[in-house]
Amino acid sequence: MNKIFNHHLKIWKWAAGLLPFLAGCESLTEINQNPNDLTDERVNPAYVLTSVVTGSATALSDVSFSGNVTQSVISEAMQYTQRDFLEFSVSNQFGWYPVSFDYRSLHQPLSNAAYLGRRAAGNADSLFLKGASLTMQAMWFGIQTSLWGDVPYREANQGTANLQPAFDPQKDVFIGIITDLDKANAYLKQAGTVKSSVLSQADLLFKGDVLKWRKFANSLRLRFMMRLSEKLGDAGLDVKAEFSKMVADPSNYPLMTASEDNAAISYPGTNTIDAWRMGALLKPTLSEFYRIKAGATMIDFLKNQDDPRLTVWFRPVEVQTLVRDKGAETVFAKDEGSGDVKRYIKSYQQGIDTSLYVGLKIALVNPDIYNENIAAHRTEALKLNSAIYNSGAANPFVSYLSPMFRENTHPLVKTVFMSAAEVNFILAEAAVKGWIAANAENFYWQGIAASLTQYGIADGDVKQYNKVTHVRQQFDLKAFESRMRALFNQAPDKTEEILTQKWASSFTTLESWFDWRRTGYPDIAGNIISGSQGKKIPVRYIFGESEINYNTDH
């Protein structure tokens, strides 16, 4: 690689102040050169670290939640959301497109992370750079092998020295990255601190906090060891013993346990480079946003548990349907109290959802008309409130995503590499398996609590939906905790209960799909109405043509 890649070495605008320093102590003439024309040895590794982190955020966001249907289909597969208007047969009914393993946005962050490790030699912060490099490589190798199965690992990232790398068995990839993460923790522990202030500023993930990097690396290691939990006999690694050793030694293996440790990237939202991927800067057409609706499985789960995340993640329907005799069969009128438009029907009709939060049923043949969404009814509603959305993908009788997902920047909208919620659920599952001597119930609750904190929910917040009165009320954290603990203690299958709550907390990420494939939990396949393979959910991405065309040896 003679020149630094273009797009993925652009940094968020809020880090642009770093650029004059990234070439190190060089002359003004050298500093003013175009960074895209700098050769390898001239680019400060701090600049590369920024690229690795921001490029990873962009790529992971697109594949897990914010991308189009050629990129993002897992949210629909896991029934968090459903699409309508266009392309719903691809996402809702699993008509997935092939995706090449070397697809640029998914491979580039991994390649850049490997390059970061090569640039560590001779740097005053070489140990930190090696640790960060191995951590990010492990994350991406783990994602890739989880998406496709067998992928290049041992021969990957060799550039022109090997353009046709061999594919390694998935088990070997996991064992390799588990080993790499152990090395990453050792490098980071030995590093202690980041010496360069420029490097600390360029670290948009943890601001040079080495302890948080160690927590991230070790938590990823637990993630991938748990992913091997169903194959202990042929894993080639004593996963149970290694897992137990780590949890029993927090000084040598610190873990993420609180939301402030989350590995997550915010979006400044000042331009198309640093804006959230679903915001107006990158998706100016409203229909692109509104065609993503809440999934009934997620909505019903949150409503049934009186979970306040419902009102944070999703929007109330613009027009609620209520069963009231107003004379005619269907009457539109404004509510005297709230002023909101309501659709009143004289008697209940099969299939009509009268909640204030309504999700699309899963894999409908025609989701556009769900909940009696017909043009004449939208016209009547618009007469009472012209602000009701009525362009492409309009359905005022079904919940859209929360408006925060339409903003270019929002403090709660981030790309999450890994969260404390996930780690606590992993520990809860390990306790149930007998891998660690710990209270599974406490880890289970701490996982839920960490997710609430992640989304800014605190005791007393007016964020809990009352299913009877259809209004928001104050959230009682203690009462909620009591209900959640009771659910756990009453559950006949503790692992299923843990994985179901973990599924909810994994909203906007890929992790629940990987967990579902490993365990079958949560049991959601039965919700599928008209899937392309009946009640089956896909278990792998489809390899694209690049592997056939350009890696013929393997």
Side-chain angles (χ1 to χ4, degrees):
M1 183 177 68
N2 294 322
K3 294 186 178 181
I4 292 299
F5 17 79
N6 187 0
H7 174 71
H8 287 288
L9 282 186
K10 292 178 179 177
I11 62 175
W12 296 156
K13 188 176 181 181
W14 53 296
L18 295 173
L19 293 179
F21 304 101
L22 291 176
C25 298
E26 301 179 6
S27 70
L28 184 62
T29 301
E30 292 170 326
I31 289 173
N32 284 336
Q33 290 186 35
N34 183 349
N36 295 324
D37 291 334
L38 296 178
T39 55
D40 290 2
E41 67 277 4
R42 296 278 302 284
V43 176
N44 191 315
Y47 194 17
V48 183
L49 176 61
T50 305
S51 168
V52 170
V53 170
T54 58
S56 293
T58 297
L60 189 56
S61 171
D62 281 347
V63 75
S64 60
F65 187 67
S66 64
N68 59 42
V69 293
T70 67
Q71 301 164 306
S72 175
V73 288
I74 303 305
S75 184
E76 288 77 33
M78 287 294 96
Q79 303 178 15
Y80 297 131
T81 59
Q82 292 285 280
R83 294 182 187 244
D84 61 7
F85 185 56
L86 296 172
E87 304 159 334
F88 57 82
S89 64
V90 177
S91 56
N92 303 0
Q93 297 174 305
F94 313 123
W96 292 5
Y97 293 108
V99 179
S100 289
F101 163 73
D102 66 352
Y103 184 57
R104 188 173 185 271
S105 66
L106 293 183
H107 184 71
Q108 193 74 71
L110 171 59
S111 177
N112 290 359
Y115 172 66
L116 177 66
R118 294 195 295 272
R119 289 301 315 280
N123 190 284
D125 285 300
S126 62
L127 291 170
F128 169 74
L129 292 170
K130 288 178 181 178
S133 167
L134 284 174
T135 301
M136 295 304 293
Q137 286 185 74
M139 184 188 80
W140 276 109
F141 275 125
I143 290 170
Q144 290 184 353
T145 194
S146 297
L147 290 173
W148 282 281
D150 297 351
V151 295
Y153 169 70
R154 287 172 297 178
E155 296 182 5
N157 298 318
Q158 295 180 7
T160 55
N162 186 354
L163 295 176
Q164 295 191 345
F167 281 61
D168 294 284
Q170 185 182 62
K171 178 192 72 174
D172 294 347
V173 178
F174 278 130
I175 292 173
I177 60 181
I178 288 169
T179 301
D180 288 342
L181 287 166
D182 197 30
K183 293 177 182 177
N185 178 54
Y187 283 137
L188 292 165
K189 181 181 180 182
Q190 190 176 351
T193 60
V194 173
K195 300 175 180 63
S196 166
S197 60
V198 172
L199 183 55
S200 291
Q201 293 176 68
D203 175 10
L204 302 187
L205 188 58
F206 293 127
K207 305 298 183 188
D209 188 326
V210 176
L211 179 58
K212 287 189 175 182
W213 272 100
R214 291 181 66 197
K215 290 180 178 182
F216 180 30
N218 291 323
S219 298
L220 279 173
R221 198 162 185 251
L222 295 190
R223 172 195 281 179
F224 297 128
M225 283 195 282
M226 185 58 73
R227 205 155 289 171
L228 288 173
S229 63
E230 307 305 312
K231 300 182 181 296
L232 293 181
D234 63 354
L237 173 73
D238 192 339
V239 172
K240 179 180 176 181
E242 192 67 19
F243 193 107
S244 177
K245 181 186 79 172
M246 289 181 65
V247 176
D249 190 2
S251 62
N252 283 315
Y253 298 99
L255 300 171
M256 291 180 182
T257 54
S259 290
E260 55 263 28
D261 296 329
N262 286 0
I265 293 293
S266 301
Y267 292 80
T270 61
N271 55 51
T272 56
I273 294 172
D274 67 18
W276 164 241
R277 311 294 293 170
M278 298 173 80
L281 280 169
L282 281 164
K283 293 187 177 179
T285 305
L286 270 174
S287 71
E288 289 188 77
F289 179 74
Y290 282 120
R291 72 186 62 170
I292 303 174
K293 307 290 197 298
T297 305
M298 184 60 145
I299 289 285
D300 293 347
F301 173 84
L302 295 172
K303 285 193 298 189
N304 290 339
Q305 302 212 343
D306 295 322
D307 193 316
R309 289 174 293 185
L310 172 70
T311 67
V312 175
W313 290 340
F314 300 103
R315 180 177 169 181
V317 295
E318 290 186 290
V319 180
Q320 184 183 12
T321 302
L322 295 171
V323 180
R324 304 280 193 279
D325 187 351
K326 297 287 185 177
E329 287 296 325
T330 304
V331 174
F332 286 82
K334 284 191 174 183
D335 180 81
E336 293 181 359
S338 66
D340 295 333
V341 177
K342 303 292 182 181
R343 177 174 63 178
Y344 297 100
I345 56 176
K346 183 177 290 188
S347 58
Y348 177 73
Q349 302 168 25
Q350 185 68 31
I352 293 292
D353 193 325
T354 60
S355 175
L356 193 59
Y357 290 86
V358 177
L360 282 177
K361 296 295 184 183
I362 308 306
L364 289 166
V365 174
N366 186 359
D368 294 351
I369 62 173
Y370 184 69
N371 215 24
E372 200 70 11
N373 178 35
I374 58 178
H377 285 192
R378 294 198 304 274
T379 299
E380 291 300 312
L382 279 166
K383 290 178 182 178
L384 298 172
N385 182 359
S386 61
I388 292 172
Y389 178 72
N390 194 37
S391 294
N395 188 339
F397 313 108
V398 169
S399 291
Y400 302 118
L401 291 172
S402 166
M404 72 180 184
F405 291 112
R406 180 58 182 164
E407 296 182 23
N408 294 310
T409 180
H410 192 282
L412 299 182
V413 177
K414 304 176 182 181
T415 295
V416 179
F417 297 161
M418 193 167 195
S419 69
E422 179 187 347
V423 177
N424 279 293
F425 286 122
I426 290 171
L427 293 170
E429 185 180 354
V432 168
K433 289 179 180 296
W435 288 11
I436 57 175
N439 188 314
E441 178 191 333
N442 285 341
F443 281 129
Y444 162 86
W445 166 246
Q446 288 164 17
I448 298 170
S451 180
L452 296 176
T453 301
Q454 179 180 336
Y455 285 97
I457 299 169
D459 184 46
D461 287 351
V462 183
K463 293 180 179 178
Q464 188 174 54
Y465 171 60
N466 186 306
K467 299 186 293 290
V468 177
T469 63
H470 303 300
V471 298
R472 292 190 188 189
Q473 61 190 27
Q474 283 191 326
F475 174 54
D476 187 332
L477 179 61
K478 288 185 178 180
F480 185 69
E481 177 181 354
S482 179
R483 290 198 304 276
M484 295 302 100
R485 288 184 180 273
L487 277 175
F488 180 82
N489 289 318
Q490 295 164 10
D493 186 332
K494 307 299 186 192
T495 300
E496 180 177 10
E497 179 61 27
I498 291 166
L499 269 294
T500 300
Q501 288 290 348
K502 187 182 179 186
W503 162 79
S505 296
S506 299
F507 180 56
T508 77
T509 78
L510 298 171
E511 289 310 304
S512 63
W513 186 48
F514 303 145
D515 283 331
W516 171 82
R517 284 165 32 193
R518 174 173 63 86
T519 67
Y521 298 138
D523 185 7
I524 57 176
N527 300 326
I528 298 171
I529 293 172
S530 184
S532 60
Q533 300 295 322
K535 300 288 186 181
K536 294 181 180 179
I537 299 172
V539 296
R540 287 283 185 273
Y541 264 27
I542 305 168
F543 277 107
E545 294 182 355
S546 292
E547 288 67 46
I548 298 172
N549 294 336
Y550 303 116
N551 197 352
T552 55
D553 290 348
H554 304 290

